[in-house]
Amino acid sequence: MSASSLQAFQDQVSELLLRHRSLLDVMSKLGQTNTAAVRSVTKAVTECGCVELHATKQEFVPGIALEEAKEHIKHHVHGELCENCRDAVMNELGRSLFYMSALGNLLGFELEEVLQRESQKCSTLGFFNMS
């Protein structure tokens, strides 16, 4: 997403958000929509079955290069989301993005700045960013 379209979306959210303009309302809706997104993925596994999880302990081989280690680590997900589950997950992620934009609007920052800062942190810290 380009900076202009990200800003346009954030502006659109500002125009559309009428009912939940309170910071507390927006924070609770953000939490609720994040939970709904996780729930839609869970349903894809437990109700639809279009994807399966085969979770086991992650084995890390000592002494190998980090790039090579990425090939050894498994992601546990097998299969692909069916059209219905993909649509449900995307809808829930969209709602989360909506309320994330609303939170940024209420607190006076742009999502583009958040994206740039996180990208810079990822570039600086590399593999160690999320550990």
Side-chain angles (χ1 to χ4, degrees), residues 4-99:
S4 61
S5 61
L6 188 58
Q7 184 59 50
F9 178 72
Q10 194 165 356
D11 292 342
Q12 183 181 28
V13 167
S14 182
E15 290 176 20
L16 295 174
L17 190 68
L18 298 173
R19 205 168 129 208
H20 301 288
R21 271 212 162 330
S22 156
L23 180 62
L24 293 175
D25 283 340
V26 168
M27 289 189 313
S28 66
K29 289 299 283 185
L30 179 59
Q32 182 181 20
T33 57
N34 285 337
T35 300
V38 170
R39 179 73 180 133
S40 63
V41 174
T42 301
K43 284 182 170 184
V45 175
T46 61
E47 289 183 16
C48 179
C50 57
V51 291
E52 295 179 359
L53 298 179
H54 298 276
T56 58
K57 179 181 176 186
Q58 291 285 5
E59 297 294 333
F60 186 76
V61 180
I64 63 173
L66 289 175
E67 283 297 319
E68 190 179 346
K70 284 174 35 179
E71 295 176 20
H72 289 286
I73 303 227
K74 297 180 175 37
H75 58 77
H76 305 299
V77 180
H78 298 275
E80 292 184 17
L81 292 172
C82 68
E83 186 177 331
N84 290 335
C85 291
R86 181 178 171 80
D87 188 51
V89 172
M90 287 182 70
N91 285 337
E92 299 301 343
L93 289 176
R95 277 193 222 155
S96 289
L97 187 57
F98 180 93
Y99 285 105

Side-chain angles (χ1 to χ4, degrees), residues 106-125:
L106 289 172
L107 296 175
F109 58 83
E110 297 176 4
L111 288 183
E112 178 61 23
E113 181 184 359
V114 175
L115 180 67
Q116 287 173 352
R117 290 177 88 178
E118 190 62 23
S119 179
Q120 179 62 41
K121 190 167 53 170
C122 288
S123 295
T124 302
L125 297 175

